[in-house]
């Protein structure tokens, strides 16, 4: 979602058409599976690289994903969940102060090819449908960030964002 949002209206519309098609396909499988016996009980849709936007924008990202997948057909059976995730968390949420002394949220990250972290304010992520006026100005910038360095050995987990909630929603009470 973020890459398409950054790429512009044409790329975003193409992506949302693909997401709707995928969502409709899974909705049919969730519905039909109850009849044919080869059922899918749950499906999780994930907006990746959500660490590139601050924690106050992540729910907007999740809602935008959900809006564009569910716009045509909401599954009546089974479970469809929507998540904002990052397989490798490259950022830390921080407060920054603007030139007028107001606090705002940002993410601290290491730009690719650089040696010092800096704060990024990627901009506004709409919660739901993207209004037409959004495309007339640059309201969003996609930072290119390096992953963190990982400590040697296997005793240190890779930092992620919300992958555990995706697994919990998919597996439910199976375990």
């Amino acid at each position: 979602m973020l890459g398409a949002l950054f790429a512009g209206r044409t790329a975003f519309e193409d992506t949302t058409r693909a997401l709707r098609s995928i969502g409709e396909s899974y909705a049919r499988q969730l519905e039909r599976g109850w009849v044919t016996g080869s059922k899918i009980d749950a499906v999780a849709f994930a907006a990746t690289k959500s660490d590139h936007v601050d924690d106050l924008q992540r729910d907007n990202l999740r809602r935008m994903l959900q809006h564009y997948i569910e716009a045509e057909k909401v599954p009546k059976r089974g479970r469809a969940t929507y998540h904002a995730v990052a397989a490798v968390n490259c950022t830390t949420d921080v407060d920054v102060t603007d030139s007028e002394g107001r606090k705002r949220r940002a993410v601290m990250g290491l730009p690719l090819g650089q040696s010092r972290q800096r704060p990024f304010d990627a901009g506004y992520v709409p919660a739901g449908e993207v209004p037409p006026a959004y495309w007339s100005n640059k309201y969003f910038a996609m930072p290119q960030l390096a992953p963190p360095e990982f400590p040697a050995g296997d005793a240190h987990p890779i930092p992620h964002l919300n992958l555990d909630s995706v697994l919990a929603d998919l597996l439910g009470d199976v375990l």
Side-chain angles (χ1 to χ4, degrees):
M1 295 299 303
L2 291 177
L5 193 63
F6 177 66
R9 185 179 206 154
T10 302
F12 188 81
E13 289 172 351
D14 185 48
T15 299
T16 57
R17 279 191 299 276
L19 285 171
R20 281 189 181 143
S21 179
I22 292 166
E24 289 170 1
S25 176
Y26 276 112
R28 283 191 301 273
Q29 183 62 34
L30 286 166
E31 285 287 320
R32 229 183 285 143
W34 294 94
V35 175
T36 65
S38 63
K39 66 178 180 173
I40 295 175
D41 292 326
V43 62
F45 295 98
T48 60
K49 293 193 180 280
S50 67
D51 61 326
H52 286 46
V53 297
D54 67 73
D55 55 345
L56 300 179
Q57 294 287 316
R58 286 186 198 123
D59 195 51
N60 286 4
L61 178 61
R62 184 195 60 76
R63 287 176 187 218
M64 183 172 52
L65 174 69
Q66 184 172 0
H67 169 78
Y68 283 104
I69 290 175
E70 287 187 349
E72 299 297 319
K73 181 176 178 165
V74 178
K76 293 181 179 70
R77 296 196 177 145
R79 294 185 324 267
T81 58
Y82 303 87
H83 306 269
V85 304
V88 177
N89 191 355
C90 299
T91 65
T92 305
D93 296 306
V94 295
D95 285 323
V96 294
T97 305
D98 68 16
S99 60
E100 297 177 13
R102 290 181 297 218
K103 296 261 186 210
R104 59 184 171 81
R105 289 303 272 173
V107 294
M108 182 72 79
L110 178 65
L112 282 177
Q114 295 184 18
S115 59
R116 292 186 80 193
Q117 287 197 352
R118 72 175 188 88
F120 287 92
D121 177 6
Y124 174 68
V125 176
E129 187 165 352
V130 177
Y134 190 87
W135 304 114
S136 62
N137 291 301
K138 283 260 194 205
Y139 289 107
F140 181 78
M142 185 74 173
Q144 298 296 312
L145 302 173
E149 289 188 25
F150 301 118
D154 60 359
H156 304 284
I158 295 173
H160 66 85
L161 194 59
N162 296 329
L163 290 180
D164 49 349
S165 68
V166 174
L167 288 173
D169 282 348
L170 285 175
L171 296 176
D173 293 333
V174 172
L175 299 176

